[in-house]
Amino acid sequence: MPPTEHVRRALNDAVAVMLLRCADAGRAYWDWDSEEWLHFLGHNHRAFQGQVPDWTGGAVRPSLCGYAYHLAGFTGFNRLGHFDRLALAGRVFGRRLVEAEIGQVRTVLTGWGYQYGQDHDKGVPSVMSQLFLLNRSPRSSDLTTAFFDRVRREDLLADGGHEGPVRGTAGCCRARPLRGARPVLRG
């Protein structure tokens, strides 16, 4: 599906804002480290808007998050406060694939009796999207025990200290895994 005029404008404005930042910094974006990307993206939307031109629309920051992910390997989304991680994962990996993988996880969670797996719940899609982005793969089968250990150790699901779907649902991913049978996600 081709992008709408609104999306095209946001993508173009994101490139313009990034190039302005390069000019101000005197360095190309490929020289920026994760901390510089974090500072540029802001700890929240208000911090971002405070450092960009007035013409910068609300859809520019999420577009820049996608650019930071692709161009610099940025994955510090847990430090950006609240934003729509599902939309970002959909832009990065493809909406249908992300939704299908989340659907499989919902099915397993619901089968285990968790309320998190219900269709109306926004926490699971947000957490799974963050996990896919951190793991650089939209496949739930690629989420390993070592990866979850890293997520817990580095507190990568904390939403920058803000309450929101990631923070509220993250507890289910912080617990130590149960010993025994490993759930199988088919697809």
Side-chain angles (χ1 to χ4, degrees):
M1 166 188 308
T4 64
E5 181 59 34
H6 175 73
V7 170
R8 274 194 302 274
R9 172 69 190 256
L11 293 170
N12 289 336
D13 286 354
V15 169
V17 168
M18 193 166 59
L19 292 174
L20 287 170
R21 179 62 168 242
C22 289
D24 289 345
R27 297 194 341 269
Y29 62 82
W30 55 81
D31 282 339
W32 300 353
D33 62 16
S34 289
E35 287 302 314
E36 191 154 3
W37 276 104
L38 176 64
H39 179 72
F40 179 45
L41 296 169
H43 291 283
N44 57 44
H45 187 74
R46 184 176 301 178
F48 172 74
Q49 286 298 133
Q51 62 179 343
V52 295
D54 292 340
W55 50 261
T56 306
V60 169
R61 184 175 184 242
S63 297
L64 284 169
C65 288
Y67 291 156
Y69 180 85
H70 281 299
L71 298 173
F74 181 83
T75 57
F77 303 113
N78 59 313
R79 299 174 64 195
L80 297 180
H82 179 74
F83 73 96
D84 190 348
R85 286 154 172 83
L86 177 60
L88 178 59
R91 285 183 189 132
V92 168
F93 301 119
R95 185 178 53 83
R96 283 190 212 149
L97 178 57
V98 170
E99 288 176 357
E101 290 290 321
I102 290 171
Q104 289 183 31
V105 171
R106 283 182 187 273
T107 299
V108 169
L109 290 175
T110 300
W112 288 348
Y114 282 96
Q115 295 296 313
Y116 289 125
Q118 312 257 330
D119 286 342
H120 67 276
D121 176 65
K122 294 183 193 250
V124 167
S126 189
V127 168
M128 291 308 301
S129 295
Q130 178 118 339
L131 291 171
F132 294 154
L133 291 163
L134 288 168
N135 203 42
R136 304 194 70 76
S137 168
R139 305 251 183 237
S140 54
S141 59
D142 291 340
L143 300 172
T144 65
T145 301
F147 171 73
F148 279 110
D149 286 344
R150 180 179 152 241
V151 168
R152 278 190 296 276
R153 185 177 56 255
E154 297 176 24
D155 202 18
L156 296 176
L157 290 178
D159 194 8
H162 303 280
E163 289 302 320
V166 172
R167 182 101 157 131
T169 312
C172 71
C173 294
R174 286 198 187 112
R176 297 293 304 167
L178 296 174
R179 303 272 184 226
R182 182 174 170 181
V184 176
L185 299 177
R186 293 185 169 84

